[in-house]
Amino acid sequence: MTHPTALPPADVLDLFADQILATRRPRLTAAAVYRLWAQADPGWPDPLNARMRLAHALRHLADAGLITLPAPGGRLWDAGTPCLPERIAVPANHELPAQLPHAADEPWGPAMQWAPAWIRAAHPPAHLRLDAARLNRWFLATTGQSRPSVAREERSLQIYNDEKRLTALATGPLFAPGRLTLEDLACQAPTGALRIAILRPAGPVLVVENRATFDSAWRALREADPAPYAAVVFGGGDAASALVTDLLRLYDLTGVRPGRIDYAGDVDIAGIEAAHQFVTTARTAGLTAGISRPLWEAVARSHPVGPDMTAEPRRAHEAHVMARCLDMPPETTDRLEQGVRVPQERIDRQALLDTAWWAPDPCPA
């Protein structure tokens, strides 16, 4: 059996991004992408490992808005496993300028006074230095002006000519503690990502990782009297933490007054990471959030589908720490130690019909 692939570290991903942007070409063929990747991530003679690392890197850069991948399932993908694109697009607004900003040369404004020391100490990749400079120039250009609050994507378009760029940056080093916040930019994360089934006007809310479980859960809860959860929300895995803004405004958006918010997902490293990110983000925002222990335990007791392909030692260790922080049931941590994954869909519609076993414990709203 092939050993699970270690995901490429951040410095490799940053180098790969800089190499792509430095080509100054709006499109790159697969051959060009492979050549750049071999320079950024050498030393992987196993073709499967190298291919999986490249697939992860391309998804990472696409999520960050630095490249655009072909439409999923289209003809511009090869037949390998995992499939790789025949070409990628590089948005014009991400091309690097002829001369990158230097920490000492840029006239940093009050909101960006932390930037020179960060650039000198961290030696960030070129695209992050450029992002910091563009933010700084926006601050300087609007000094003394009224900055009415707008949506994050609207502000991103004004600064970067790219409505998605701020979303990608908001979880990175430019927005680390003590640096920037969206409030500094007079913008807010928009609401509207909520996919919710409402059962009653107040009470605990369940957030689930997968669409099928969402569908089966709300159907089962609809038949219960009373429904143990007031609402079920489809979190969409890693996207669940983006729902926190909507959950804070849940009553305004839907009329539901939420109590405790429970999260349930897949039993694998990515599922634990998504749960930890959601719960941490929700608690930081002031919500009462945790996990649905009965659902996590039931999924973990189910039959695995195979090895967890992300189970490299460092990431597995961090997932164990996260699981302990979330007070996961021991069955879940046992699966982590075994290096296997169990999808949430193992607990199917028939199992969820009996809502008594997965009802939340009574707790104050």
Side-chain angles (χ1 to χ4, degrees):
M1 181 178 71
T2 302
H3 190 277
T5 304
L7 297 181
D11 58 338
V12 169
L13 296 173
D14 286 338
L15 176 59
F16 188 41
D18 285 351
Q19 289 174 328
I20 289 175
L21 296 176
T23 66
R24 301 182 182 277
R25 294 168 59 185
R27 279 181 295 276
L28 293 175
T29 64
V33 170
Y34 297 158
R35 184 172 62 255
L36 295 175
W37 180 243
Q39 297 169 7
D41 190 49
W44 287 87
D46 180 0
L48 177 59
N49 279 350
R51 189 177 187 89
M52 292 184 70
R53 287 168 70 88
L54 174 55
H56 172 82
L58 291 172
R59 287 195 302 271
H60 174 84
L61 298 190
D63 290 344
L66 293 172
I67 65 172
T68 301
L69 297 175
R75 293 179 296 176
L76 293 178
W77 294 86
D78 67 18
T81 303
C83 57
L84 294 172
E86 299 287 354
R87 71 184 186 205
I88 64 172
V90 184
N93 49 303
H94 288 312
E95 288 185 5
L96 297 180
Q99 187 168 0
L100 289 166
H102 189 277
D105 298 335
E106 184 77 14
W108 301 100
M112 300 291 292
Q113 284 299 301
W114 52 269
W118 168 67
I119 291 174
R120 287 191 293 267
H123 303 290
H127 63 272
L128 282 182
R129 280 184 283 155
L130 178 59
D131 287 327
R134 286 179 172 170
L135 284 167
N136 181 62
R137 291 165 192 175
W138 179 82
F139 279 119
L140 293 177
T142 58
T143 298
Q145 300 178 16
S146 174
R147 296 172 181 159
S149 182
V150 299
R152 177 188 56 206
E153 283 72 10
E154 295 164 355
R155 184 70 78 218
S156 185
L157 198 60
Q158 295 167 1
I159 298 172
Y160 293 106
N161 195 35
D162 177 358
E163 72 279 10
K164 297 178 181 178
R165 189 65 189 138
L166 268 183
T167 304
L169 292 175
T171 57
L174 299 184
F175 286 79
R179 295 177 185 169
L180 290 176
T181 66
L182 291 181
E183 287 74 19
D184 294 330
L185 297 170
C187 65
Q188 300 171 329
T191 58
L194 200 63
R195 287 166 284 187
I196 185 170
I198 299 171
L199 287 311
R200 54 189 176 94
V205 172
L206 176 65
V207 178
V208 297
E209 182 173 344
N210 297 299
R211 187 186 304 273
T213 305
F214 166 75
D215 189 67
S216 295
W218 76 256
R219 290 174 187 272
L221 291 168
R222 183 180 59 181
E223 302 302 321
D225 186 20
Y229 280 102
V232 184
V233 174
F234 171 43
D238 292 344
S241 60
L243 293 173
V244 170
T245 300
D246 286 11
L247 292 172
L248 288 167
R249 302 290 301 274
L250 194 63
Y251 179 73
D252 295 333
L253 290 168
T254 68
V256 173
R257 293 190 182 277
R260 177 187 174 88
I261 299 173
D262 292 336
Y263 184 89
D266 297 331
V267 175
D268 58 11
I269 288 176
I272 300 297
E273 291 171 340
H276 186 264
Q277 183 181 21
F278 172 78
V279 171
T280 301
T281 304
R283 288 176 177 173
T284 301
L287 295 169
T288 303
I291 62 165
S292 169
R293 282 181 60 89
L295 287 174
W296 283 99
E297 181 178 339
V299 174
R301 286 181 172 179
S302 301
H303 188 66
V305 296
D308 183 353
M309 298 303 291
T310 65
E312 54 95 11
R314 178 191 59 78
R315 194 174 176 192
H317 172 74
E318 292 174 352
H320 273 279
V321 174
M322 294 175 185
R324 289 195 294 271
C325 291
L326 294 170
D327 193 25
M328 288 280 182
E331 292 84 354
T332 302
T333 52
D334 287 346
R335 290 304 193 193
L336 289 178
E337 291 175 2
Q338 295 163 12
V340 297
R341 66 178 301 268
V342 191
Q344 188 177 41
E345 292 90 344
R346 282 294 194 203
I347 307 304
D348 62 17
R349 187 164 301 182
Q350 294 303 309
L352 292 172
L353 280 176
D354 177 10
T355 60
W357 68 267
W358 53 280
D361 293 331
C363 65

